[in-house]
Amino acid sequence: MKKNAVLAIAGATGLVGNEMISILNESKMQFGQVRLLASENSKGEIYSVCGEEVAVEVLDEMSFDGVDYALFATDAELSKQYVPVAVKAGAVAIDNSSHFRMQEGIPLVVPEVNPDSIGDNKIIANPNCSTIQLVPVLHAIRSVSSLKRVVVSTYQSVSGAGKGGLDELWEQTRDILNMKEVKSEAFAHQIAFNCIPQIDVILEDGYSKEEYKIINESRKILSLPELAITATAVRVPVLHAHAESVNIELHDEVSLEDLCSVLLDAPGIELHADHSDYPMQISSASDDMIHVGRIRRDRSLKCGFDLWIVADNIRKGAALNAVQILERLA
Ligand SMILES: NC(=O)c1ccc[n+]([C@@H]2O[C@H](COP(=O)([O-])OP(=O)(O)OC[C@H]3O[C@@H](n4cnc5c(N)ncnc54)[C@H](OP(=O)(O)O)[C@@H]3O)[C@@H](O)[C@H]2O)c1
């Protein structure tokens, strides 16, 4: 990394931005300056980052002057507006929003899978949280057999919808226990004591946008544009970490032992081979690993497996993946 490099974090006060700060504080990376950018509401808030006390500034057109690296933890509209501003000012931008992910020529990167696609691009897109925890597993498995079909059902925590999603689960739970009327703003329906089979908008063909993110982003990252993959994305009343039930059909006969062996060796994956030691959202939040358990042969297929994959959506599903890309750039 350039000596005294300047780093900016746009959306620093949100769930993903805050987690980026925590990860940077744990890392050995050093910067000449770190700028924290957010809305007018957070102006002047102080965060301790890389050994310095930094006051939050309001994101604007001048925010990226002199910046070398810009991490974006903003929504798609803000990223659309400000990533080009950062790049024009000379920064390399790593964006967490959905805006650039499927654009041709923009790499969509999970460092355990396709680090070489980072190249010397000025914009690098971070995938959707559900995709990030899925593709390293598929990538490891395809080293023993090509993938024939993948069926994913997600159990996604409310923090996937940002601060507003977390607040809504707390507020609704409190209101229900106090026999008060429930208000739904972050989600289409009551999320407390409920599961909602809709994340993002539902399109004309019946899929939700979130489901298409999982399908299309996985194909792009794995460079398998024809991969047969389908998804059902469900919001569940869990605070942190997403879980996925994944059914994988393979072209070749693979033993359970060989499948476990490649997962055991795969970077970023923690294998839970013991059937009673399965990963759960409450035990997988706040760590860096993608946890894979409940691995068993699907007896309805010639060669298929069922797996249960859990990871912290804010950490590995967003902030950590972005910082890992930054480390590679550095
Ligand atoms: N949450 C996840 O699990 C997850 C996973 C993968 C990707 N992502 C993506 O990461 C991005 C951030 O998500 P999040 O969950 O961290 O959201 P969040 O908790 O709602 O945080 C949003 C951030 O954007 C800032 N912001 C909002 N309006 C602004 C404005 N007009 N000008 C400047 N800053 C503004 C907020 O600042 P204030 O605090 O000042 O309002 C806050 O820092 C989104 O694109 C999301 O889709 C999220």
PDB file of all heavy atoms in Angstrom, residues 11-17 37-42 59 73-76 78 96-98 101 127-129 159-164 242 313-314 317-318, ligand 1:
ATOM      1  N   GLY A  11     -20.787   5.903   4.543  1.00  0.00           N
ATOM      2  CA  GLY A  11     -21.773   5.078   5.254  1.00  0.00           C
ATOM      3  C   GLY A  11     -21.160   4.472   6.508  1.00  0.00           C
ATOM      4  O   GLY A  11     -21.569   3.406   6.965  1.00  0.00           O
ATOM      5  N   ALA A  12     -20.173   5.194   7.066  1.00  0.00           N
ATOM      6  CA  ALA A  12     -19.387   4.659   8.193  1.00  0.00           C
ATOM      7  C   ALA A  12     -20.220   4.418   9.441  1.00  0.00           C
ATOM      8  O   ALA A  12     -19.837   3.632  10.297  1.00  0.00           O
ATOM      9  CB  ALA A  12     -18.241   5.625   8.518  1.00  0.00           C
ATOM     10  N   THR A  13     -21.361   5.103   9.560  1.00  0.00           N
ATOM     11  CA  THR A  13     -22.158   4.998  10.794  1.00  0.00           C
ATOM     12  C   THR A  13     -23.228   3.909  10.728  1.00  0.00           C
ATOM     13  O   THR A  13     -23.948   3.695  11.701  1.00  0.00           O
ATOM     14  CB  THR A  13     -22.851   6.347  11.069  1.00  0.00           C
ATOM     15  OG1 THR A  13     -23.602   6.683   9.891  1.00  0.00           O
ATOM     16  CG2 THR A  13     -21.840   7.436  11.360  1.00  0.00           C
ATOM     17  N   GLY A  14     -23.337   3.231   9.575  1.00  0.00           N
ATOM     18  CA  GLY A  14     -24.336   2.167   9.444  1.00  0.00           C
ATOM     19  C   GLY A  14     -23.790   0.846   9.971  1.00  0.00           C
ATOM     20  O   GLY A  14     -22.667   0.771  10.483  1.00  0.00           O
ATOM     21  N   LEU A  15     -24.590  -0.211   9.835  1.00  0.00           N
ATOM     22  CA  LEU A  15     -24.166  -1.523  10.342  1.00  0.00           C
ATOM     23  C   LEU A  15     -22.896  -1.994   9.650  1.00  0.00           C
ATOM     24  O   LEU A  15     -21.944  -2.435  10.304  1.00  0.00           O
ATOM     25  CB  LEU A  15     -25.280  -2.557  10.146  1.00  0.00           C
ATOM     26  CG  LEU A  15     -26.584  -2.339  10.920  1.00  0.00           C
ATOM     27  CD1 LEU A  15     -27.543  -3.500  10.663  1.00  0.00           C
ATOM     28  CD2 LEU A  15     -26.321  -2.174  12.405  1.00  0.00           C
ATOM     29  N   VAL A  16     -22.868  -1.915   8.333  1.00  0.00           N
ATOM     30  CA  VAL A  16     -21.700  -2.406   7.593  1.00  0.00           C
ATOM     31  C   VAL A  16     -20.502  -1.474   7.829  1.00  0.00           C
ATOM     32  O   VAL A  16     -19.386  -1.939   8.079  1.00  0.00           O
ATOM     33  CB  VAL A  16     -22.019  -2.533   6.079  1.00  0.00           C
ATOM     34  CG1 VAL A  16     -20.781  -2.909   5.290  1.00  0.00           C
ATOM     35  CG2 VAL A  16     -23.130  -3.564   5.856  1.00  0.00           C
ATOM     36  N   GLY A  17     -20.737  -0.160   7.783  1.00  0.00           N
ATOM     37  CA  GLY A  17     -19.650   0.805   8.009  1.00  0.00           C
ATOM     38  C   GLY A  17     -19.019   0.636   9.382  1.00  0.00           C
ATOM     39  O   GLY A  17     -17.789   0.641   9.531  1.00  0.00           O
ATOM     40  N   LEU A  37     -17.550   9.105   6.542  1.00  0.00           N
ATOM     41  CA  LEU A  37     -18.565   9.919   5.862  1.00  0.00           C
ATOM     42  C   LEU A  37     -19.952   9.326   6.086  1.00  0.00           C
ATOM     43  O   LEU A  37     -20.130   8.112   6.017  1.00  0.00           O
ATOM     44  CB  LEU A  37     -18.263   9.948   4.356  1.00  0.00           C
ATOM     45  CG  LEU A  37     -16.821  10.328   3.983  1.00  0.00           C
ATOM     46  CD1 LEU A  37     -16.544   9.993   2.526  1.00  0.00           C
ATOM     47  CD2 LEU A  37     -16.577  11.816   4.256  1.00  0.00           C
ATOM     48  N   ALA A  38     -20.906  10.192   6.349  1.00  0.00           N
ATOM     49  CA  ALA A  38     -22.287   9.728   6.544  1.00  0.00           C
ATOM     50  C   ALA A  38     -23.229  10.897   6.282  1.00  0.00           C
ATOM     51  O   ALA A  38     -22.846  11.882   5.624  1.00  0.00           O
ATOM     52  CB  ALA A  38     -22.463   9.159   7.943  1.00  0.00           C
ATOM     53  N   SER A  39     -24.442  10.800   6.781  1.00  0.00           N
ATOM     54  CA  SER A  39     -25.418  11.863   6.528  1.00  0.00           C
ATOM     55  C   SER A  39     -25.253  12.985   7.569  1.00  0.00           C
ATOM     56  O   SER A  39     -24.521  12.842   8.548  1.00  0.00           O
ATOM     57  CB  SER A  39     -26.837  11.309   6.588  1.00  0.00           C
ATOM     58  OG  SER A  39     -27.233  11.150   7.936  1.00  0.00           O
ATOM     59  N   GLU A  40     -26.000  14.037   7.351  1.00  0.00           N
ATOM     60  CA  GLU A  40     -26.025  15.188   8.263  1.00  0.00           C
ATOM     61  C   GLU A  40     -26.339  14.743   9.700  1.00  0.00           C
ATOM     62  O   GLU A  40     -25.805  15.304  10.662  1.00  0.00           O
ATOM     63  CB  GLU A  40     -27.124  16.146   7.734  1.00  0.00           C
ATOM     64  CG  GLU A  40     -27.170  17.511   8.338  1.00  0.00           C
ATOM     65  CD  GLU A  40     -25.984  18.397   7.952  1.00  0.00           C
ATOM     66  OE1 GLU A  40     -25.601  18.418   6.772  1.00  0.00           O
ATOM     67  OE2 GLU A  40     -25.455  19.039   8.881  1.00  0.00           O
ATOM     68  N   ASN A  41     -27.171  13.672   9.827  1.00  0.00           N
ATOM     69  CA  ASN A  41     -27.582  13.202  11.171  1.00  0.00           C
ATOM     70  C   ASN A  41     -26.407  12.778  12.034  1.00  0.00           C
ATOM     71  O   ASN A  41     -26.488  12.822  13.257  1.00  0.00           O
ATOM     72  CB  ASN A  41     -28.495  11.960  11.064  1.00  0.00           C
ATOM     73  CG  ASN A  41     -29.769  12.268  10.342  1.00  0.00           C
ATOM     74  OD1 ASN A  41     -30.165  13.417  10.279  1.00  0.00           O
ATOM     75  ND2 ASN A  41     -30.405  11.249   9.779  1.00  0.00           N
ATOM     76  N   SER A  42     -25.341  12.312  11.408  1.00  0.00           N
ATOM     77  CA  SER A  42     -24.216  11.746  12.175  1.00  0.00           C
ATOM     78  C   SER A  42     -23.025  12.692  12.239  1.00  0.00           C
ATOM     79  O   SER A  42     -21.984  12.339  12.820  1.00  0.00           O
ATOM     80  CB  SER A  42     -23.751  10.433  11.530  1.00  0.00           C
ATOM     81  OG  SER A  42     -24.832   9.601  11.280  1.00  0.00           O
ATOM     82  N   LEU A  59     -21.088  13.360   3.808  1.00  0.00           N
ATOM     83  CA  LEU A  59     -20.704  12.933   2.455  1.00  0.00           C
ATOM     84  C   LEU A  59     -21.124  14.000   1.442  1.00  0.00           C
ATOM     85  O   LEU A  59     -22.289  14.392   1.392  1.00  0.00           O
ATOM     86  CB  LEU A  59     -21.428  11.613   2.150  1.00  0.00           C
ATOM     87  CG  LEU A  59     -21.308  11.024   0.750  1.00  0.00           C
ATOM     88  CD1 LEU A  59     -19.885  10.603   0.438  1.00  0.00           C
ATOM     89  CD2 LEU A  59     -22.254   9.824   0.616  1.00  0.00           C
ATOM     90  N   ALA A  73     -20.338   1.824   2.080  1.00  0.00           N
ATOM     91  CA  ALA A  73     -21.363   1.038   2.790  1.00  0.00           C
ATOM     92  C   ALA A  73     -22.640   1.858   2.785  1.00  0.00           C
ATOM     93  O   ALA A  73     -23.269   2.103   3.815  1.00  0.00           O
ATOM     94  CB  ALA A  73     -20.900   0.737   4.208  1.00  0.00           C
ATOM     95  N   THR A  74     -22.986   2.298   1.580  1.00  0.00           N
ATOM     96  CA  THR A  74     -24.169   3.152   1.372  1.00  0.00           C
ATOM     97  C   THR A  74     -25.176   2.397   0.499  1.00  0.00           C
ATOM     98  O   THR A  74     -24.836   1.370  -0.091  1.00  0.00           O
ATOM     99  CB  THR A  74     -23.748   4.451   0.647  1.00  0.00           C
ATOM    100  OG1 THR A  74     -22.861   4.089  -0.426  1.00  0.00           O
ATOM    101  CG2 THR A  74     -23.045   5.414   1.563  1.00  0.00           C
ATOM    102  N   ASP A  75     -26.380   2.937   0.390  1.00  0.00           N
ATOM    103  CA  ASP A  75     -27.363   2.246  -0.451  1.00  0.00           C
ATOM    104  C   ASP A  75     -27.048   2.472  -1.934  1.00  0.00           C
ATOM    105  O   ASP A  75     -26.150   3.252  -2.292  1.00  0.00           O
ATOM    106  CB  ASP A  75     -28.792   2.669  -0.075  1.00  0.00           C
ATOM    107  CG  ASP A  75     -29.090   4.131  -0.401  1.00  0.00           C
ATOM    108  OD1 ASP A  75     -28.400   4.729  -1.257  1.00  0.00           O
ATOM    109  OD2 ASP A  75     -30.026   4.697   0.206  1.00  0.00           O
ATOM    110  N   ALA A  76     -27.798   1.782  -2.797  1.00  0.00           N
ATOM    111  CA  ALA A  76     -27.468   1.766  -4.224  1.00  0.00           C
ATOM    112  C   ALA A  76     -27.514   3.167  -4.847  1.00  0.00           C
ATOM    113  O   ALA A  76     -26.675   3.514  -5.683  1.00  0.00           O
ATOM    114  CB  ALA A  76     -28.422   0.825  -4.954  1.00  0.00           C
ATOM    115  N   LEU A  78     -26.972   6.149  -3.367  1.00  0.00           N
ATOM    116  CA  LEU A  78     -25.806   6.944  -2.953  1.00  0.00           C
ATOM    117  C   LEU A  78     -24.534   6.428  -3.618  1.00  0.00           C
ATOM    118  O   LEU A  78     -23.674   7.220  -4.033  1.00  0.00           O
ATOM    119  CB  LEU A  78     -25.645   6.916  -1.429  1.00  0.00           C
ATOM    120  CG  LEU A  78     -26.592   7.809  -0.631  1.00  0.00           C
ATOM    121  CD1 LEU A  78     -26.412   7.561   0.857  1.00  0.00           C
ATOM    122  CD2 LEU A  78     -26.360   9.289  -0.939  1.00  0.00           C
ATOM    123  N   ASN A  96     -20.338  -1.811  -1.558  1.00  0.00           N
ATOM    124  CA  ASN A  96     -21.196  -2.866  -0.995  1.00  0.00           C
ATOM    125  C   ASN A  96     -22.610  -2.870  -1.546  1.00  0.00           C
ATOM    126  O   ASN A  96     -23.362  -3.807  -1.274  1.00  0.00           O
ATOM    127  CB  ASN A  96     -21.285  -2.688   0.523  1.00  0.00           C
ATOM    128  CG  ASN A  96     -20.177  -3.424   1.220  1.00  0.00           C
ATOM    129  OD1 ASN A  96     -20.294  -4.607   1.508  1.00  0.00           O
ATOM    130  ND2 ASN A  96     -19.089  -2.731   1.468  1.00  0.00           N
ATOM    131  N   SER A  97     -22.997  -1.852  -2.256  1.00  0.00           N
ATOM    132  CA  SER A  97     -24.387  -1.798  -2.712  1.00  0.00           C
ATOM    133  C   SER A  97     -24.580  -2.699  -3.932  1.00  0.00           C
ATOM    134  O   SER A  97     -23.622  -3.225  -4.501  1.00  0.00           O
ATOM    135  CB  SER A  97     -24.768  -0.359  -3.075  1.00  0.00           C
ATOM    136  OG  SER A  97     -24.364  -0.078  -4.405  1.00  0.00           O
ATOM    137  N   SER A  98     -25.828  -2.833  -4.353  1.00  0.00           N
ATOM    138  CA  SER A  98     -26.117  -3.684  -5.516  1.00  0.00           C
ATOM    139  C   SER A  98     -25.866  -2.957  -6.839  1.00  0.00           C
ATOM    140  O   SER A  98     -25.925  -3.577  -7.899  1.00  0.00           O
ATOM    141  CB  SER A  98     -27.582  -4.139  -5.448  1.00  0.00           C
ATOM    142  OG  SER A  98     -28.425  -3.002  -5.406  1.00  0.00           O
ATOM    143  N   ARG A 101     -22.865  -4.297  -9.172  1.00  0.00           N
ATOM    144  CA  ARG A 101     -22.485  -5.724  -9.131  1.00  0.00           C
ATOM    145  C   ARG A 101     -22.568  -6.448 -10.462  1.00  0.00           C
ATOM    146  O   ARG A 101     -21.688  -7.226 -10.813  1.00  0.00           O
ATOM    147  CB  ARG A 101     -23.373  -6.468  -8.119  1.00  0.00           C
ATOM    148  CG  ARG A 101     -23.063  -6.120  -6.689  1.00  0.00           C
ATOM    149  CD  ARG A 101     -23.998  -6.887  -5.764  1.00  0.00           C
ATOM    150  NE  ARG A 101     -23.929  -6.374  -4.412  1.00  0.00           N
ATOM    151  CZ  ARG A 101     -24.924  -6.467  -3.540  1.00  0.00           C
ATOM    152  NH1 ARG A 101     -26.056  -7.053  -3.886  1.00  0.00           N
ATOM    153  NH2 ARG A 101     -24.791  -5.980  -2.328  1.00  0.00           N
ATOM    154  N   PRO A 127     -20.283  -8.575  -3.308  1.00  0.00           N
ATOM    155  CA  PRO A 127     -21.571  -9.216  -3.578  1.00  0.00           C
ATOM    156  C   PRO A 127     -22.578  -9.046  -2.435  1.00  0.00           C
ATOM    157  O   PRO A 127     -22.243  -8.598  -1.344  1.00  0.00           O
ATOM    158  CB  PRO A 127     -21.204 -10.691  -3.749  1.00  0.00           C
ATOM    159  CG  PRO A 127     -19.726 -10.704  -3.975  1.00  0.00           C
ATOM    160  CD  PRO A 127     -19.189  -9.522  -3.230  1.00  0.00           C
ATOM    161  N   ASN A 128     -23.784  -9.506  -2.713  1.00  0.00           N
ATOM    162  CA  ASN A 128     -24.845  -9.603  -1.715  1.00  0.00           C
ATOM    163  C   ASN A 128     -24.409 -10.576  -0.607  1.00  0.00           C
ATOM    164  O   ASN A 128     -23.684 -11.536  -0.868  1.00  0.00           O
ATOM    165  CB  ASN A 128     -26.074 -10.142  -2.469  1.00  0.00           C
ATOM    166  CG  ASN A 128     -27.235 -10.426  -1.573  1.00  0.00           C
ATOM    167  OD1 ASN A 128     -27.381 -11.534  -1.059  1.00  0.00           O
ATOM    168  ND2 ASN A 128     -28.062  -9.443  -1.367  1.00  0.00           N
ATOM    169  N   CYS A 129     -24.884 -10.315   0.611  1.00  0.00           N
ATOM    170  CA  CYS A 129     -24.460 -11.141   1.763  1.00  0.00           C
ATOM    171  C   CYS A 129     -24.782 -12.626   1.590  1.00  0.00           C
ATOM    172  O   CYS A 129     -23.971 -13.498   1.940  1.00  0.00           O
ATOM    173  CB  CYS A 129     -25.084 -10.609   3.046  1.00  0.00           C
ATOM    174  SG  CYS A 129     -26.770 -10.027   2.847  1.00  0.00           S
ATOM    175  N   SER A 159     -30.838  -7.826  10.331  1.00  0.00           N
ATOM    176  CA  SER A 159     -29.743  -6.858  10.146  1.00  0.00           C
ATOM    177  C   SER A 159     -29.344  -6.757   8.679  1.00  0.00           C
ATOM    178  O   SER A 159     -28.670  -5.800   8.289  1.00  0.00           O
ATOM    179  CB  SER A 159     -28.540  -7.219  11.012  1.00  0.00           C
ATOM    180  OG  SER A 159     -28.104  -8.525  10.707  1.00  0.00           O
ATOM    181  N   GLY A 160     -29.767  -7.707   7.864  1.00  0.00           N
ATOM    182  CA  GLY A 160     -29.534  -7.612   6.426  1.00  0.00           C
ATOM    183  C   GLY A 160     -30.235  -6.402   5.822  1.00  0.00           C
ATOM    184  O   GLY A 160     -29.884  -5.955   4.737  1.00  0.00           O
ATOM    185  N   ALA A 161     -31.211  -5.866   6.531  1.00  0.00           N
ATOM    186  CA  ALA A 161     -31.924  -4.671   6.054  1.00  0.00           C
ATOM    187  C   ALA A 161     -31.387  -3.407   6.729  1.00  0.00           C
ATOM    188  O   ALA A 161     -32.056  -2.369   6.724  1.00  0.00           O
ATOM    189  CB  ALA A 161     -33.412  -4.824   6.299  1.00  0.00           C
ATOM    190  N   GLY A 162     -30.201  -3.488   7.325  1.00  0.00           N
ATOM    191  CA  GLY A 162     -29.586  -2.298   7.925  1.00  0.00           C
ATOM    192  C   GLY A 162     -30.139  -1.983   9.308  1.00  0.00           C
ATOM    193  O   GLY A 162     -30.895  -2.765   9.897  1.00  0.00           O
ATOM    194  N   LYS A 163     -29.751  -0.808   9.799  1.00  0.00           N
ATOM    195  CA  LYS A 163     -30.149  -0.395  11.161  1.00  0.00           C
ATOM    196  C   LYS A 163     -31.656  -0.428  11.328  1.00  0.00           C
ATOM    197  O   LYS A 163     -32.183  -0.812  12.364  1.00  0.00           O
ATOM    198  CB  LYS A 163     -29.662   1.040  11.429  1.00  0.00           C
ATOM    199  CG  LYS A 163     -28.190   1.153  11.694  1.00  0.00           C
ATOM    200  CD  LYS A 163     -27.822   2.569  12.128  1.00  0.00           C
ATOM    201  CE  LYS A 163     -27.874   3.577  11.005  1.00  0.00           C
ATOM    202  NZ  LYS A 163     -27.271   4.877  11.309  1.00  0.00           N
ATOM    203  N   GLY A 164     -32.370  -0.008  10.261  1.00  0.00           N
ATOM    204  CA  GLY A 164     -33.834   0.051  10.331  1.00  0.00           C
ATOM    205  C   GLY A 164     -34.446  -1.324  10.557  1.00  0.00           C
ATOM    206  O   GLY A 164     -35.452  -1.463  11.264  1.00  0.00           O
ATOM    207  N   HIS A 242     -26.967 -14.930   8.574  1.00  0.00           N
ATOM    208  CA  HIS A 242     -27.898 -15.571   7.641  1.00  0.00           C
ATOM    209  C   HIS A 242     -27.601 -17.071   7.600  1.00  0.00           C
ATOM    210  O   HIS A 242     -26.437 -17.484   7.663  1.00  0.00           O
ATOM    211  CB  HIS A 242     -27.699 -15.043   6.215  1.00  0.00           C
ATOM    212  CG  HIS A 242     -28.094 -13.611   6.012  1.00  0.00           C
ATOM    213  ND1 HIS A 242     -28.779 -12.842   6.928  1.00  0.00           N
ATOM    214  CD2 HIS A 242     -27.897 -12.793   4.932  1.00  0.00           C
ATOM    215  CE1 HIS A 242     -28.985 -11.630   6.432  1.00  0.00           C
ATOM    216  NE2 HIS A 242     -28.458 -11.572   5.237  1.00  0.00           N
ATOM    217  N   ASN A 313     -23.815 -11.934   8.357  1.00  0.00           N
ATOM    218  CA  ASN A 313     -24.078 -11.157   7.138  1.00  0.00           C
ATOM    219  C   ASN A 313     -23.393  -9.806   7.124  1.00  0.00           C
ATOM    220  O   ASN A 313     -23.025  -9.297   6.069  1.00  0.00           O
ATOM    221  CB  ASN A 313     -25.588 -10.971   6.941  1.00  0.00           C
ATOM    222  CG  ASN A 313     -26.287 -10.420   8.160  1.00  0.00           C
ATOM    223  OD1 ASN A 313     -26.309 -11.075   9.209  1.00  0.00           O
ATOM    224  ND2 ASN A 313     -26.848  -9.239   8.064  1.00  0.00           N
ATOM    225  N   ILE A 314     -23.218  -9.217   8.315  1.00  0.00           N
ATOM    226  CA  ILE A 314     -22.591  -7.887   8.346  1.00  0.00           C
ATOM    227  C   ILE A 314     -21.072  -8.030   8.219  1.00  0.00           C
ATOM    228  O   ILE A 314     -20.410  -7.207   7.597  1.00  0.00           O
ATOM    229  CB  ILE A 314     -22.879  -7.173   9.696  1.00  0.00           C
ATOM    230  CG1 ILE A 314     -24.368  -7.130   9.992  1.00  0.00           C
ATOM    231  CG2 ILE A 314     -22.279  -5.775   9.725  1.00  0.00           C
ATOM    232  CD1 ILE A 314     -25.140  -6.209   9.132  1.00  0.00           C
ATOM    233  N   GLY A 317     -20.405 -11.360   5.327  1.00  0.00           N
ATOM    234  CA  GLY A 317     -21.327 -11.060   4.231  1.00  0.00           C
ATOM    235  C   GLY A 317     -21.203  -9.652   3.674  1.00  0.00           C
ATOM    236  O   GLY A 317     -21.871  -9.319   2.691  1.00  0.00           O
ATOM    237  N   ALA A 318     -20.371  -8.819   4.269  1.00  0.00           N
ATOM    238  CA  ALA A 318     -20.247  -7.445   3.764  1.00  0.00           C
ATOM    239  C   ALA A 318     -18.886  -6.843   4.130  1.00  0.00           C
ATOM    240  O   ALA A 318     -17.971  -6.807   3.313  1.00  0.00           O
ATOM    241  CB  ALA A 318     -21.388  -6.573   4.300  1.00  0.00           C
TER     242      ALA A 318
HETATM  243  N1  LIG B   1     -26.671  -5.217   6.247  1.00  0.00           N
HETATM  244  C1  LIG B   1     -26.176  -6.218   5.529  1.00  0.00           C
HETATM  245  O1  LIG B   1     -26.198  -7.401   5.950  1.00  0.00           O
HETATM  246  C2  LIG B   1     -25.548  -5.956   4.204  1.00  0.00           C
HETATM  247  C3  LIG B   1     -24.857  -7.005   3.590  1.00  0.00           C
HETATM  248  C4  LIG B   1     -24.301  -6.802   2.322  1.00  0.00           C
HETATM  249  C5  LIG B   1     -24.437  -5.581   1.716  1.00  0.00           C
HETATM  250  N2  LIG B   1     -25.104  -4.578   2.341  1.00  0.00           N
HETATM  251  C6  LIG B   1     -25.209  -3.301   1.654  1.00  0.00           C
HETATM  252  O2  LIG B   1     -24.354  -2.368   2.328  1.00  0.00           O
HETATM  253  C7  LIG B   1     -24.917  -1.048   2.256  1.00  0.00           C
HETATM  254  C8  LIG B   1     -25.066  -0.498   3.677  1.00  0.00           C
HETATM  255  O3  LIG B   1     -25.928  -1.331   4.416  1.00  0.00           O
HETATM  256  P1  LIG B   1     -26.151  -1.169   6.001  1.00  0.00           P
HETATM  257  O4  LIG B   1     -26.850  -2.402   6.406  1.00  0.00           O
HETATM  258  O5  LIG B   1     -24.901  -0.786   6.678  1.00  0.00           O
HETATM  259  O6  LIG B   1     -27.173   0.078   6.040  1.00  0.00           O
HETATM  260  P2  LIG B   1     -27.495   1.076   7.256  1.00  0.00           P
HETATM  261  O7  LIG B   1     -27.208   0.425   8.550  1.00  0.00           O
HETATM  262  O8  LIG B   1     -28.871   1.562   7.010  1.00  0.00           O
HETATM  263  O9  LIG B   1     -26.445   2.285   7.053  1.00  0.00           O
HETATM  264  C9  LIG B   1     -26.566   3.206   5.991  1.00  0.00           C
HETATM  265  C10 LIG B   1     -25.409   4.187   6.013  1.00  0.00           C
HETATM  266  O10 LIG B   1     -25.620   5.118   4.940  1.00  0.00           O
HETATM  267  C11 LIG B   1     -25.576   6.450   5.483  1.00  0.00           C
HETATM  268  N3  LIG B   1     -26.475   7.348   4.763  1.00  0.00           N
HETATM  269  C12 LIG B   1     -27.822   7.256   4.628  1.00  0.00           C
HETATM  270  N4  LIG B   1     -28.287   8.315   3.934  1.00  0.00           N
HETATM  271  C13 LIG B   1     -27.227   9.101   3.656  1.00  0.00           C
HETATM  272  C14 LIG B   1     -27.048  10.317   2.968  1.00  0.00           C
HETATM  273  N5  LIG B   1     -28.076  10.966   2.413  1.00  0.00           N
HETATM  274  N6  LIG B   1     -25.788  10.837   2.859  1.00  0.00           N
HETATM  275  C15 LIG B   1     -24.737  10.185   3.408  1.00  0.00           C
HETATM  276  N7  LIG B   1     -24.829   9.024   4.067  1.00  0.00           N
HETATM  277  C16 LIG B   1     -26.063   8.484   4.177  1.00  0.00           C
HETATM  278  C17 LIG B   1     -26.047   6.297   6.910  1.00  0.00           C
HETATM  279  O11 LIG B   1     -25.620   7.439   7.652  1.00  0.00           O
HETATM  280  P3  LIG B   1     -26.455   7.957   8.946  1.00  0.00           P
HETATM  281  O12 LIG B   1     -26.128   6.976  10.042  1.00  0.00           O
HETATM  282  O13 LIG B   1     -25.879   9.300   9.174  1.00  0.00           O
HETATM  283  O14 LIG B   1     -27.900   7.946   8.562  1.00  0.00           O
HETATM  284  C18 LIG B   1     -25.308   5.013   7.298  1.00  0.00           C
HETATM  285  O15 LIG B   1     -23.975   5.306   7.575  1.00  0.00           O
HETATM  286  C19 LIG B   1     -26.240  -1.203   1.497  1.00  0.00           C
HETATM  287  O16 LIG B   1     -26.036  -0.966   0.126  1.00  0.00           O
HETATM  288  C20 LIG B   1     -26.598  -2.666   1.707  1.00  0.00           C
HETATM  289  O17 LIG B   1     -27.430  -3.180   0.701  1.00  0.00           O
HETATM  290  C21 LIG B   1     -25.651  -4.732   3.579  1.00  0.00           C
END
